[in-house]
Amino acid sequence: MKFLQWFHAVRYLIQKEFRQVFRDPAMLRIIFIAPLIQLFILSYAATTDVRNIRLAILDQDNTSQSRLLAQSFYQNNIFIPVTPAANPSELMADLQQRRADIAVWIPLDYAKNIAAGQQATISITINGQNSSVAARAQGYAETIVRQEANRIFDDASLKNPAMKNRIHRIEAATRFFYNPELESRYYMIPAILVILMTLIAGMLTGMAVVREKEIGTLEQLMVTPLTPSQLIAGKVIPFTLLTYFELTFATTIAVLWFGLPLLGSIPLLMLCALAYLLVSLAVGLLASEISSTQQQAMFTMWFYMIFGIMTSGFFYPIENMPAGIYYLTFINPLRYIVAINRGVFLKGAGLTDVWHNLWPLVLMGTVLFTTAVFRFRKRLE
């Protein structure tokens, strides 16, 4: 009964917050349109796949075998052709003058060596400025050469079975777990959902409180019969509900539009989101404490988000970071929720699987939220 009386006053404050949010077109655009644009743009833009690599070929052998090898590079959208080189100098010029990213040189006697059962060497030169792209391009090119070599030996074996005993082949059986299509989008979207949650729960909470301070309505609320705890609840609950709505909406789009597999438990996903919400709401409240204007609050949250995103494993594996940065990531809550989201979506992770990431998040959320509420309550009193 006492709680119902307490919540009765909070209910009006929640209604007031919702009315204020839905009356402000700018706030509505931030809540509903900006996350949708982010989801679509980042899902397509934040990709680590390598496509449209410019490939220059010098085919000095000019036989049916060498032409088949050259054509095999263009059977997908990984490589795109540039004007064929006429000699080795032109081939190197293509690389040096950045007309091509990778150069393949098929030497004379390529087909002759294959027919004689001798080794045929293909020269592959790659622009190594971007090491990540270069390594992937190397892998793609070598795979295509191996596939073409296998095709040649299979054809030769069919025509002359006696050759089987003379051919020494090494076959690699490769399997990929959790993302068999190697779609980088599947890896990025669960992390993008975390950014959306941070944006709604953290940034909007902080800006909403600072806005009240700017226009003077916070002082008006402080002289009402509402207690500090009711005021805080009235500020926090609407953005918690909006964040859950946003998360549900974005997850639905991610699954139905982008085909993101959701192998884990939805209740577990929502439970972990609640732990992260405590952190985000606390950061938003703390940002409002140290900010006098909405611009200051936005800048504070922007700084937090940039640091959080760059050290969360969003783009690059945390294990590859320098030792100092690696240990710094342990205080970054995004590190834990990003790992949890990816585990639940792609691996079907359960509570025991995500527990080592969930408990630090719960601990951070409890400490930060208690501190933020204490400071906010002290200000109201």
Side-chain angles (χ1 to χ4, degrees), residues 231-266:
L231 271 176
I232 293 169
K235 288 290 176 190
V236 168
I237 291 175
F239 291 104
T240 303
L241 296 176
L242 284 172
T243 304
Y244 266 110
F245 170 79
E246 196 76 45
L247 179 62
T248 305
F249 181 60
T251 301
T252 304
I253 290 179
V255 172
L256 297 182
W257 181 271
F258 292 105
L260 177 68
L262 177 51
L263 303 179
S265 160
I266 293 176

Side-chain angles (χ1 to χ4, degrees), residues 146-164:
R146 276 199 302 273
Q147 288 174 343
E148 182 63 13
N150 289 341
R151 185 193 64 77
I152 291 170
F153 286 127
D154 286 343
D155 288 346
S157 299
L158 286 174
K159 291 176 183 175
N160 184 5
M163 284 192 67
K164 279 186 177 179

